[in-house]
Amino acid sequence: MPDTVTHALTLTGRGIRLSRRNVDAVITALALPVMLMLIFVYFFGGAIDTGTAYVTYVVPGVLLLCAGFGSSTTAVRVSEDMKEGIVDRFRSMDVGATPILAAHVAASTARNLLSTALVLGVAFLIGFRPSASAAGWLAALGILLAFVLAVSWLSAAVGLLARTPEAASGFTFLMMFLPYPSSAFVPIDTMPSWLHGFADHQPVTPVIESLRGLLLDQPVGTAPALALAWCAGILAVAAGLSGALFRVRTR
C-alpha cells in the first residue's frame, strides 16, 4: 500500500509537469470556459430571461462546462501513454494500474481547480455575486470535485478504450455538448417539450442545480443527493471498467 501511494504521488507530479510543458493545451483549457462565459453573458444574456441577472444564472453551468472539458483531456493523456509505451515501462518497474490511472485523475483534478478559480475570478469581475455561506461553498466545492473525479475516471476508461489519442479526443466534444441540453444556460421549460425528459434526467442537470442553489443560498431539494448518486454511479462503473481495460491492454 505505501508503494502504491508513493507511485501515485510521483506519477501525479509527472502529469502536472507534462501539463505545464503543453502550453497550448493549458491556455485552451483555461481560456475556453472564460470566453464561453463572456459570450453567453454579453452576447446572449440580454435576450434570455432567467428571472435574475444572467451572469448569476450562468456561472454554475460554466463551472461544470469547465470541469467537464478539463476532465475529458484525461482520455487523451491516457491514450498517449498507452501509445508511446510509457505504461509498459512503468509496468516493468512493478507500478500497477491503480497508481498510473489515479495519477492521471489527480492531475486532472489539479488542472480543474486552477481553471475553476480562474472562471470564478472573471465571474466576480463581471458581476457574479453569490450569497452562499461557508458551508454552502464547501458543499458546492464537494459536489464539483465529485463530478470531476467521476468524469476523470470515465475519461481514463475512454483513453484505454481508444486506440489513438485522436480517437480519445472525441470524448472532449461529448463533455462540451452535454451541459447544453440541461439547465446550464437556459431554463429547461423554455426548451422543446420532447427534450424535457432528457434534460431533466441527465447527470449534468442535478449537479448544476445543486451548484446554483448552494452558491445563491437557495433551496436545493433533492438535487445534491441526485448529483452525488450520479457521480458515485459513474465513478464506480468507470473505475471498474478502467481496471478491466488496463489489464486487457497490458496483457
Side-chain angles (χ1 to χ4, degrees):
M1 185 64 178
D3 285 344
T4 298
V5 174
T6 301
H7 291 161
L9 291 174
T10 301
L11 292 175
T12 299
R14 168 186 174 265
I16 293 173
R17 288 192 297 274
L18 289 175
S19 295
R20 290 206 313 262
R21 294 170 187 169
N22 196 346
V23 178
D24 292 344
V26 171
I27 292 175
T28 300
L30 294 177
L32 184 59
V34 172
M35 292 175 62
L36 288 173
M37 179 172 62
L38 295 176
I39 288 171
F40 273 99
V41 171
Y42 290 115
F43 291 6
F44 308 133
I48 301 175
D49 181 15
T50 60
T52 184
Y54 189 63
V55 65
T56 300
Y57 183 88
V58 81
V59 164
V62 174
L63 288 176
L64 208 66
L65 185 69
C66 175
F69 177 75
S71 301
S72 65
T73 60
T74 304
V76 178
R77 301 291 170 84
V78 170
S79 182
E80 287 175 343
D81 278 358
M82 297 301 295
K83 182 180 179 181
E84 293 170 2
I86 189 69
V87 170
D88 292 333
R89 183 176 179 184
F90 291 150
R91 294 284 288 166
S92 70
M93 295 186 291
D94 200 27
V95 179
T98 298
I100 292 173
L101 298 177
H104 279 289
V105 172
S108 170
T109 302
R111 292 192 299 268
N112 271 286
L113 288 175
L114 177 60
S115 58
T116 296
L118 178 61
V119 168
L120 281 174
V122 175
F124 276 108
L125 290 176
I126 64 176
F128 180 55
R129 296 295 180 266
S131 50
S133 63
W137 275 104
L138 288 175
L141 180 59
I143 291 173
L144 187 62
L145 283 175
F147 179 79
V148 169
L149 287 173
V151 177
S152 294
W153 274 105
L154 183 59
S155 295
V158 171
L160 290 167
L161 190 62
R163 292 297 174 177
T164 65
E166 291 76 17
S169 68
F171 188 63
T172 303
F173 294 101
L174 173 62
M175 295 311 303
M176 288 290 290
F177 168 77
L178 201 56
Y180 289 94
S182 74
S183 60
F185 303 111
V186 297
I188 291 176
D189 58 13
T190 65
M191 299 178 184
S193 58
W194 56 267
L195 194 54
H196 288 185
F198 177 78
D200 279 323
H201 299 100
Q202 64 137 311
V204 166
T205 295
V207 178
I208 290 173
E209 292 299 320
S210 299
L211 295 180
R212 185 174 289 131
L214 290 168
L215 292 178
L216 302 181
D217 197 22
Q218 297 174 349
V220 292
T222 61
L226 287 172
L228 291 175
W230 270 110
C231 291
I234 293 171
L235 177 60
V237 172
L241 183 60
S242 295
L245 288 171
F246 189 89
R247 288 191 293 272
V248 171
R249 290 290 304 274
T250 57
R251 184 175 298 167

